[in-house]
Amino acid sequence: MTRSDLRCIVEAVGANALMDELIHALTEALRTFDGEQTEVRKRDGFLLESARQPGCLEWMPVMQRGQAVTVKMVSYSPHNPEERGLPTIIATNSLYDVHSGHLIALMDGVFATALRTGAASAVATRCLASPDSRVIGLIGCGAQAVTQLHAISRLFPITEVLGYDTNPEAQESFARRTAFLGLNVKIVPLAELEERSDIICTATSVAVGGGPVLSEKKLKPHVHINAVGSDLPGKTELPKSLLERSLVCPDFTVQCLVEGECQQIRPDQVGPDLITLVKNPDVYEPWRERSTVFDSTGYALEDQVVTALFLKHAERLGLGTSVALETVGGDALDPYALLHTPEAAPKRDVRLATGS
């Protein structure tokens, strides 16, 4: 599935409807999660050394027993935008048949990652933020801030959006990039953002050891924070003191303890994970009037959900191109059979999307 296929899906479904559908699908996947049927692994990968700031290349696997394995390969290169004109996050999502090991589908993960991360924050925010929340603050106005705002605005009647970024270009273009939402976007000093926001999303490329990115001096007592930027040991966005007095909900606990905000606190100070939160929302409802944090490091289950959603729409719309990528067909016992097997002409084929 190419970039043009994804464009066709968004145009056919609509950006708002697609985000609504993703939020619903992710909520259901979390609410009905069964560890006996779905195995999610903590991501692993390589640290990419850089003279300025390290990045990483990682893989995030999840298996639905008896069905398929979804794997995302994702890179984090914080200087991509200014040095190469590329996104900070670049990814590809792939789907494999668990019976044969056959690659069923391969698709872009850049757009999918942005969408699913925003959707995950929306799910957590619905459970933890005050229902009266109207003002949202974005610390970091890059690509991820756009989908954070989009997703949360689908669940809360946002009346004002406050943005802050250390990058002047990101600040200046944020209102234009979010204009499709029809919201009142203002760029303000960080102190004002902290003081006035009911919901705050931190989505920064802060360096390892460079945090925190907010001061917590005048936060509202009921503030809910989605901390999205932590993805390496030593890279954090929030003050430890804020975490210690808040209900901290990790997306995937074993991962967050290593590379999320949770690495700053003891395991016994960590609250319910996202699955527990969604399965038992009433239990944590009293926290909506106190400070809460969603520690979002990126969860492979989210990748499974968004990949399945795009493939469903690809099947419905007849999108996806069949590619003879693997050397299969002919004599299964003869690796040189490819020399005698005629190549079929490339054609558009929905079977890539359906997994058949």
Side-chain angles (χ1 to χ4, degrees):
M1 284 179 59
T2 64
R3 181 169 70 176
S4 63
D5 292 322
L6 297 185
R7 182 188 301 115
C8 289
I9 290 173
V10 178
E11 290 175 346
V13 178
N16 287 341
L18 186 65
M19 182 61 82
D20 292 346
E21 193 173 355
L22 178 55
I23 292 171
H24 174 75
L26 180 57
T27 301
E28 285 303 297
L30 293 162
R31 187 183 63 81
T32 62
F33 181 83
D34 180 354
E36 296 296 321
Q37 298 300 317
T38 303
E39 181 179 351
V40 185
R41 296 286 183 90
K42 181 169 66 74
R43 68 176 168 227
D44 200 354
F46 298 106
L47 185 67
L48 304 180
E49 298 295 342
S50 170
R52 297 176 62 188
Q53 185 175 338
C56 58
L57 179 63
E58 302 173 313
W59 43 93
M60 301 176 65
V62 55
M63 178 175 67
Q64 290 177 289
R65 297 191 186 281
Q67 297 182 50
V69 170
T70 302
V71 180
K72 181 171 76 174
M73 291 294 302
V74 56
S75 68
Y76 166 71
S77 303
H79 298 293
N80 261 357
E82 60 266 32
E83 292 183 357
R84 305 174 184 90
L86 296 173
T88 300
I89 303 294
I90 296 181
T92 53
N93 295 4
S94 54
L95 191 69
Y96 299 84
D97 181 87
V98 297
H99 302 291
S100 66
H102 175 53
L103 174 63
I104 299 170
L106 183 66
M107 59 174 274
D108 163 69
V110 179
F111 182 53
T113 297
L115 286 185
R116 63 76 149 151
T117 309
S121 288
V123 172
T125 303
R126 177 165 54 191
C127 293
L128 295 173
S130 168
D132 297 325
S133 297
R134 298 293 182 270
V135 180
I136 183 171
L138 286 303
I139 300 177
C141 296
Q144 187 52 243
V146 177
T147 50
Q148 291 286 309
L149 179 57
H150 185 194
I152 293 170
S153 69
R154 300 303 299 165
L155 300 182
F156 287 81
I158 300 299
T159 59
E160 194 171 14
V161 180
L162 308 179
Y164 171 81
D165 200 300
T166 56
N167 182 332
E169 183 178 348
Q171 278 197 153
E172 292 167 7
S173 65
F174 188 56
R176 172 182 57 78
R177 288 181 282 118
T178 56
F180 72 101
L181 298 174
L183 296 172
N184 180 21
V185 178
K186 298 179 181 178
I187 299 301
V188 299
L190 180 58
E192 181 180 346
L193 184 151
E194 291 188 29
E195 184 175 358
R196 296 181 54 208
S197 297
D198 301 301
I199 300 166
I200 296 175
C201 299
T202 58
T204 74
S205 295
V206 64
V208 172
V213 299
L214 59 77
S215 68
E216 77 160 328
K217 291 180 179 178
K218 292 185 178 181
L219 295 175
K220 290 186 176 182
H222 63 264
V223 69
H224 169 69
I225 300 175
N226 298 303
V228 179
S230 293
D231 50 17
L232 288 170
K235 180 184 176 187
T236 58
E237 296 180 311
L238 305 184
K240 180 180 178 181
S241 55
L242 172 62
L243 298 171
E244 290 176 331
R245 65 179 174 83
S246 303
L247 180 69
V248 180
C249 299
D251 53 4
F252 191 27
T253 303
V254 295
Q255 187 170 279
C256 290
L257 286 169
V258 175
E259 54 188 71
E261 297 300 326
C262 290
Q263 64 184 290
Q264 299 192 71
I265 56 178
R266 301 189 312 270
D268 64 328
Q269 294 176 303
V270 177
D273 63 14
L274 188 57
I275 288 175
T276 303
L277 183 66
V278 171
K279 286 179 178 286
N280 307 278
D282 294 345
V283 173
Y284 304 99
E285 187 173 340
W287 278 94
R288 293 178 180 176
E289 299 309 318
R290 301 169 64 183
S291 61
T292 54
V293 172
F294 173 47
D295 189 4
S296 176
T297 60
Y299 190 21
L301 184 68
E302 300 161 10
D303 299 313
Q304 175 185 289
V305 171
V306 72
T307 301
L309 178 62
F310 275 117
L311 292 178
K312 181 190 76 171
H313 283 300
E315 177 183 359
R316 180 177 63 85
L317 297 168
L319 298 169
T321 304
S322 179
V323 178
L325 184 63
E326 299 166 325
T327 303
V328 295
D331 187 347
L333 301 181
D334 182 4
Y336 290 99
L338 81 163
L339 300 176
H340 314 295
T341 304
E343 288 292 327
K347 62 179 180 179
R348 300 188 68 79
D349 191 340
V350 71
R351 287 180 295 174
L352 177 66
T354 62
S356 57

